[in-house]
Amino acid sequence: MKGRLIVLEGGEGAGKSTHAQFVREWLERSGRRVVLTREPGGTPLAEAIRALVLRGWDEGIDGTTELLLMFAARAAHLQALVRPALDAGQDVVCDRFVDATYAYQGAGRGLREKDIDLLAGLVLKRLRPDLVIVLDIDPAVGAQRVQGRGASNRFDAEALAFQARVRKAYLRRARREPKRYAVIDADRSREAVQADVAHALERLK
Ligand code: TMP
């Protein structure tokens, strides 16, 4: 049996990393072998690209450069880690994937969806996540959480209006394909969110 690709998405401070761990444990308890990874990143080359794309540059970094780096990291990640794992029957749990590109570079930066479609066709070929869990949070609440943990990258620093466009894009994409997406209100206790995440994972059986 081929492995399944399960993706966690959401705005800054939605709790993806915590819940990605939970997804891994849940799948392992149900007898699956699991690889937990993230984008941009997940392999040494893709992590090197991550460092380039998340840091600030005095010369600036335009949307197209950002878009191409995201897909360069994704191509390396798919080739060296994701596809081999899926082919070997392992489930892959990925903290962000291509929906993030539509949300951040598309809705956030204003790049054209059809340009992203083109790169997605080139890099993903026929690969689609089996399930995308969107952890939905009000950007103002998310920003507070991010501040609390002190981490910061170029995207954390974007204005609330940018984060609001990102959020809307995730919700729009989820509405288009309700069978492959689960939108979960992330502004609740960890236990309440986890119960909904577990419910969404039941669909994979
Ligand atoms: P995170 O892993 O801490 O969420 O940080 C990754 C950042 O990269 C996050 O702010 C969203 C951004 N990102 C994009 O802009 N486009 C993408 O395609 C991906 C995967 C992430």
Side-chain angles (χ1 to χ4, degrees), residues 7-173:
V7 174
L8 285 109
E9 295 279 6
E12 312 302 328
K16 285 179 296 92
S17 311
T18 307
H19 294 297
Q21 285 286 351
F22 172 77
V23 170
R24 185 235 286 262
E25 286 157 22
W26 192 96
L27 291 167
E28 283 175 349
R29 275 201 303 276
S30 69
R32 308 287 307 178
R33 286 180 305 141
V34 183
V35 175
L36 176 58
T37 185
R38 68 171 179 180
E39 287 206 346
T43 70
L45 172 54
E47 288 287 332
I49 299 170
R50 176 189 176 95
L52 292 178
V53 72
L54 294 189
R55 60 162 277 200
W57 293 89
D58 289 343
E59 71 197 65
I61 173 165
D62 77 335
T64 303
T65 308
E66 195 176 274
L67 174 68
L68 291 169
L69 287 173
M70 291 298 176
F71 271 109
R74 183 160 298 133
H77 186 218
L78 288 178
Q79 178 261 322
L81 191 146
V82 177
R83 290 191 198 276
L86 294 174
D87 289 343
Q90 291 175 295
D91 285 345
V92 175
V93 178
C94 195
D95 185 336
R96 296 198 190 280
F97 191 57
V98 73
D99 286 284
T101 311
Y102 286 97
Y104 284 81
Q105 282 67 52
R109 299 271 186 248
L111 297 184
R112 290 188 307 188
E113 187 168 330
K114 67 175 189 189
D115 290 337
I116 304 175
D117 288 342
L118 198 74
L119 291 167
L122 176 71
V123 172
L124 268 60
K125 312 229 165 41
R126 301 170 72 87
L127 181 68
R128 294 286 171 278
D130 295 279
L131 176 67
V132 180
I133 296 172
V134 177
L135 296 170
D136 182 52
I137 192 140
D138 181 319
V141 176
Q144 262 171 8
R145 288 190 183 174
V146 172
Q147 248 180 6
R149 72 172 180 231
S152 169
N153 63 44
R154 284 195 303 113
F155 295 97
D156 295 331
E158 285 292 342
L160 282 183
F162 178 98
Q163 312 292 353
R165 290 198 297 280
V166 167
R167 180 189 198 187
K168 265 186 144 170
Y170 279 129
L171 296 178
R172 195 165 54 237
R173 292 180 65 75

